[in-house]
Structures are given as C-alpha cells and as structure tokens.
Amino acid sequence: MTTGPGTIVTYPEDLEWEPVGPLDENGKGIFISRFYDTSIERGPANLLMKYSAGVKAAPHIHSGDYIAVVVSGKFRHYLESENEYRVLTAGATWLQKGNVAHQDACVGSEDCITSTFWPEGFDVEFVENATNPTH
C-alpha cells in the first residue's frame, strides 16, 4: 500500500482477503477484501469479492440492492438456472435487487473477482432454493 497526499493506492499483492462462509478442505471458498476499514454491515460499502475457481454459492438473499462488476474470471449470476445468462467476464455488470433469491458461481479454471457496491450495507441470508424469489 502506498499513501500520498489525498490518495491511498493498494496493490493486488497487498489485498487482505477474509472468508465469507466456510472453506473447503483445499481452502477454496468466497472471500472479501475491504477497500478501506469500514463496517460493511451498515453501508454503504464497496468490496472486492473473490470466488475460488469452481466455487458455487448456495442460494441466498441480501436485504438491499447491490451493483456488481466482474473484474476477472468467468462468472455466472442467476436466479433459477445457471444458464439464464451468458457467462460474465471482465467489464460485465449486474444490478441485484434486494430480497430476491439468487446464486453465483465461478466457472473456468481461474478465480473470479468482482467489485460490488452495497448502498445499504452487506448482509446475506441463505435460503432453501433460488426457484422462489421472496420479492
């Protein structure tokens, strides 16, 4: 990290990743890196999220909307079927409305990184399935 007058620069090798949820026996899972030290639960929050290659998130909801941009990797975001949309690659975006069940998956052989903005803060609740959105 480099700090100058009015600017803080963080290099990829300096990012600190913390797991969100369980990791598998190989340490694969979903991770976040905070852009700066903030309470992500009380928004607004902007995070980098990293999904290990091959990791699929269980069906879940967030109480508020969020906006995401794929930074790297091959990513899928969907409500009911993994094939609802084309594979998302660097530069692809989506807006996820709050209280709608959905899933995410990192497909391909490299990890996926997204930049995700949560206007009302980050939270997550796991649900039985993504076929019955709650909103």
Side-chain angles (χ1 to χ4, degrees), residues 36-114:
Y36 52 91
D37 190 13
T38 181
S39 172
I40 61 174
E41 295 83 12
R42 289 178 280 167
N46 200 358
L47 310 169
L48 290 178
M49 297 190 79
K50 177 169 64 172
Y51 286 67
S52 300
V55 166
K56 182 177 184 178
H60 60 280
I61 61 171
H62 308 282
S63 62
D65 300 353
Y66 72 83
I67 301 162
V69 179
V70 176
V71 175
S72 64
K74 295 179 179 178
F75 200 77
R76 286 207 181 266
H77 179 79
Y78 54 97
L79 301 182
E80 295 184 23
S81 165
E82 210 170 305
N83 295 316
E84 284 175 346
Y85 307 104
R86 296 186 336 215
V87 171
L88 304 172
T89 57
T93 66
W94 72 93
L95 165 68
Q96 178 59 57
K97 293 293 194 174
N99 296 313
V100 176
H102 60 278
Q103 287 185 262
D104 304 289
C106 181
V107 297
S109 59
E110 69 178 78
D111 293 346
C112 296
I113 297 178
T114 65

Side-chain angles (χ1 to χ4, degrees), residues 113-124:
I113 297 178
T114 65
S115 176
T116 309
F117 176 65
W118 308 82
E120 300 171 25
F122 171 79
D123 64 3
V124 63

Side-chain angles (χ1 to χ4, degrees), residues 19-24 26-31 50-53 55 111:
V20 178
L23 303 179
D24 72 10
N26 298 313
K28 290 186 173 190
I30 302 170
F31 304 84
K50 177 169 64 172
Y51 286 67
S52 300
V55 166
D111 293 346

